[in-house]
């Protein structure tokens, strides 16, 4: 058992009674033999797109929750860019209700910052908070107007809500399909410069300092943005960030074949940026790993590179990629890896989760370090198949996912 909240790393039975972690002697229910495996607090993915309401052919709350469970996640936070946008309490309540009835993991909605995520008028943030949102973000669309962002941060501060920004200056990134550099030139694709992310991170950190709001950079991908977040932290500002597995596992050199499954925002960056992201994970500048799971139905993603939408699925490959690039590569300890998926995001969002302490919610992620397995996107629990990791061989990955004391998913050979 590894529990970063208490620093425990050793052999111990984990007992869950009535949905809560409890002392071992009262345990008399079904036993899951996790000998030789790692038992960790339930993993939290704070950045997921579930496409319901409105785009259910790509993903639903139910199918997305199944993909989450298959990836070892017990809690996921869903971004508001549904149809309609989750910018008012009615939509928030709908998501909460659907999740209660159909999801096999915990689903926590994130509300929009502005109405329709259009970046103009503030959304109904107060009533959405009462309905259950855990943060606000216009993810997918940045809040371009600095005055609107300042007002949002002031309001979020008064409510104690986290503000998450998808950092992209749309004037700098306009029309771009991949990272701007030698590879975009060689491939003849239009570039998205690193500065389109950097200038927004810089602006937002200044506004966070002005307003005192808790501010979080979504899917950080550039070396300058990582450096700015580290600087903000060194000044004691309430600034945090996440990165995604694809932003530390792939570079813009991987785009060779115009494969649309390598098209995402922010785009895959250079090996220097990937190095800085991994260094940021090692140093603690980066607080959490989130997948930015972005399902798109086959016919939409299977268009020519310039026309297809941005984003890839990611829930089922996150642990495998993180083990490969961070733990097996000897960059961080297993304890640190678990922290990035548990106390890291729980601390950013101020969730009462992410620990196996006595009395905590009975959510656990069981994974192993050495099993050889192959990811086959055709067997994905997600309704969409847009992953660049189809056919990839992994060493170690999720074994079972426990939510509220119930095993909601286990690896195929254990069924
Ligand atoms: Zn985004």
């Amino acid at each position: 058992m590894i529990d970063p909240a208490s620093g425990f790393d050793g052999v111990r039975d984990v007992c869950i009674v009535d949905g809560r972690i409890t002392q071992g002697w009262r345990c008399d229910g079904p036993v899951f033999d996790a000998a030789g495996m790692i038992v960790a607090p339930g993993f939290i993915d704070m950045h997921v797109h579930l496409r319901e309401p409105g785009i259910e052919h790509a993903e639903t709350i139910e199918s997305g929750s199944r993909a989450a469970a298959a990836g070892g996640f017990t809690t996921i936070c869903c971004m508001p860019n549904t149809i309609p946008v989750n910018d008012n309490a009615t939509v928030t309540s709908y998501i909460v209700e659907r999740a209660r009835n159909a999801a096999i993991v915990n689903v926590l909605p994130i509300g929009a910052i502005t109405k329709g995520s259009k970046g103009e008028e503030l959304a109904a943030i107060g009533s959405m908070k009462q309905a259950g949102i855990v943060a606000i973000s216009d993810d997918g669309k940045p809040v371009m107007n600095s005055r609107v962002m300042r007002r949002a941060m002031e309001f979020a501060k008064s409510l104690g809500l986290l503000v998450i920004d998808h950092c992209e200056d749309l004037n700098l990134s306009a029309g771009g399909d991949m990272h701007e550099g030698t590879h975009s030139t060689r491939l003849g694709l239009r570039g998205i410069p690193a500065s389109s992310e950097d200038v927004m991170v810089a602006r937002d950190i200044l506004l966070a300092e002005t307003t005192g709001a808790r501010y979080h950079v979504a899917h950080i991908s550039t070396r300058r943005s990582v450096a700015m977040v580290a600087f903000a932290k060194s000044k004691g500002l309430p600034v945090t960030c996440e990165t995604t597995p694809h932003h530390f596992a792939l570079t813009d050199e991987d785009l060779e074949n115009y494969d649309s499954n390598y098209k995402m925002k922010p785009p895959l960056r250079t090996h220097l940026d990937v190095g800085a992201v991994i260094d940021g994970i090692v140093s603690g500048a980066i607080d959490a790993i989130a997948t930015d799971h972005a399902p798109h139905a086959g016919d939409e993603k299977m268009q020519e590179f310039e026309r297809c939408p941005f984003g890839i699925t990611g829930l089922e490959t996150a642990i495998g990629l993180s083990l490969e690039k961070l733990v097996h590569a000897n960059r961080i300890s297993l304890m640190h890896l678990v922290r990035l998926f548990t106390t890291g995001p729980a601390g950013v969002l101020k969730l009462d989760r992410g620990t196996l302490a006595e009395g905590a919610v009975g959510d656990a992620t069981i994974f192993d370090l050495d099993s050889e397995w192959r990811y086959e996107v055709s067997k994905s629990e997600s309704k969409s198949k847009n992953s660049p990791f189809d056919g990839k061989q992994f060493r170690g990955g999720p074994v079972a996912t426990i939510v509220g004391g119930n095993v909601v998913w286990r690896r195929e050979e254990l069924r």
Side-chain angles (χ1 to χ4, degrees):
M1 169 181 140
I2 292 185
D3 184 32
S6 64
F8 184 87
D9 179 354
V11 178
R12 182 184 283 183
D13 290 335
V14 177
C15 180
I16 305 171
V17 174
D18 296 333
R20 295 267 160 190
I21 307 291
T22 188
Q23 297 289 353
W25 62 81
R26 285 174 51 212
C27 251
D28 54 2
V31 173
F32 189 99
D33 182 4
M37 302 168 187
I38 310 293
V39 180
F43 281 14
I44 300 163
D45 185 347
M46 63 182 295
H47 191 146
V48 165
H49 298 271
L50 292 179
R51 310 302 189 206
E52 183 179 0
I55 321 157
E56 287 88 349
H57 64 279
E59 197 78 288
T60 62
I61 290 169
E62 185 200 357
S63 65
S65 79
R66 289 189 180 282
F73 292 99
T74 61
T75 297
I76 52 179
C77 302
C78 56
M79 285 296 177
N81 60 337
T82 46
I83 303 174
V85 170
N86 181 15
D87 62 3
N88 65 78
T90 307
V91 180
T92 306
S93 300
Y94 173 83
I95 294 168
V96 168
E97 188 62 24
R98 284 293 299 154
R100 188 179 298 140
N101 294 328
I104 62 170
V105 303
N106 308 296
V107 175
L108 306 176
I110 292 170
I113 295 175
T114 60
K115 282 185 187 161
S117 285
K118 292 197 170 91
E120 291 157 10
E121 273 177 86
L122 289 190
I125 298 169
S127 56
M128 283 195 293
K129 192 192 178 208
Q130 289 188 325
I133 61 164
V134 293
I136 51 171
S137 179
D138 276 349
D139 185 58
K141 293 183 178 172
V143 179
M144 284 291 289
N145 184 321
S146 303
R147 184 169 175 276
V148 171
M149 190 55 147
R150 180 188 171 178
R151 292 275 169 266
M153 283 194 186
E154 285 168 348
F155 199 49
K157 159 87 176 165
S158 71
L159 294 171
L161 268 178
L162 177 74
V163 179
I164 303 173
D165 199 12
H166 164 120
C167 293
E168 175 188 359
D169 183 312
L170 294 172
N171 297 311
L172 284 170
S173 63
D177 293 310
M178 69 173 286
H179 177 71
E180 179 184 283
T182 51
H183 293 285
S184 62
T185 306
R186 196 168 49 79
L187 293 170
L189 291 170
R190 292 166 298 180
I192 299 173
S195 56
S196 77
E197 178 170 329
D198 300 334
V199 297
M200 291 301 258
V201 171
R203 179 202 73 173
D204 286 355
I205 288 173
L206 293 169
L207 291 176
E209 183 179 28
T210 307
T211 60
R214 282 159 52 225
Y215 165 69
H216 180 81
V217 182
H219 41 51
I220 204 163
S221 74
T222 72
R223 53 191 188 277
R224 287 191 196 86
S225 289
V226 173
M228 285 188 280
V229 168
F231 176 76
K233 286 184 168 183
S234 76
K235 297 291 170 195
L237 298 177
V239 172
T240 54
C241 71
E242 74 199 23
T243 192
T244 74
H246 49 275
H247 284 113
F248 61 74
L250 299 172
T251 71
D252 60 345
E253 291 174 44
D254 292 308
L255 263 102
E256 290 304 323
N257 302 317
Y258 300 93
D259 180 345
S260 61
N261 288 325
Y262 291 82
K263 182 176 174 181
M264 64 282 284
K265 269 188 179 174
L268 298 173
R269 303 289 189 185
T270 69
H271 68 277
L272 287 173
D273 295 297
V274 170
V277 165
I278 293 177
D279 289 347
I281 289 172
V282 173
S283 72
I286 294 173
D287 302 84
I289 296 174
T291 66
D292 193 9
H293 177 79
H296 292 290
D299 48 339
E300 287 155 21
K301 197 67 177 173
M302 288 301 143
Q303 301 182 68
E304 62 224 87
F305 199 88
E306 288 93 334
R307 293 183 57 186
C308 78
F310 293 88
I312 60 169
T313 60
L315 287 163
E316 294 165 329
T317 47
I319 294 182
L321 288 167
S322 301
L323 284 172
E324 176 183 323
K325 299 295 178 185
L326 303 174
V327 176
H328 296 325
N330 289 319
R331 296 306 309 271
I332 62 171
S333 66
L334 204 46
M335 177 71 81
H336 192 162
L337 179 91
V338 172
R339 205 186 304 145
L340 289 162
F341 283 110
T342 58
T343 47
V348 171
L349 289 161
K350 298 207 184 299
L351 298 179
D352 187 16
R353 297 180 175 277
T355 172
L356 292 172
E358 170 81 26
V361 288
D363 294 354
T365 294
I366 302 176
F367 64 103
D368 69 3
L369 301 177
D370 284 311
S371 65
E372 300 281 341
W373 61 284
R374 214 172 106 96
Y375 182 61
E376 285 174 64
V377 82
S378 62
K379 293 184 181 166
S380 173
E381 298 285 348
S382 171
K383 285 180 109 174
S384 293
K385 312 296 175 196
N386 50 312
S387 165
F389 302 111
D390 185 30
K392 182 173 166 56
Q393 200 70 30
F394 286 101
R395 181 155 78 89
V399 174
T401 306
I402 296 174
V403 176
N406 300 309
V407 180
V408 297
W409 176 85
R410 65 177 77 200
R411 191 187 280 170
E412 206 167 344
E413 67 263 24
L414 298 174
R415 277 174 212 161

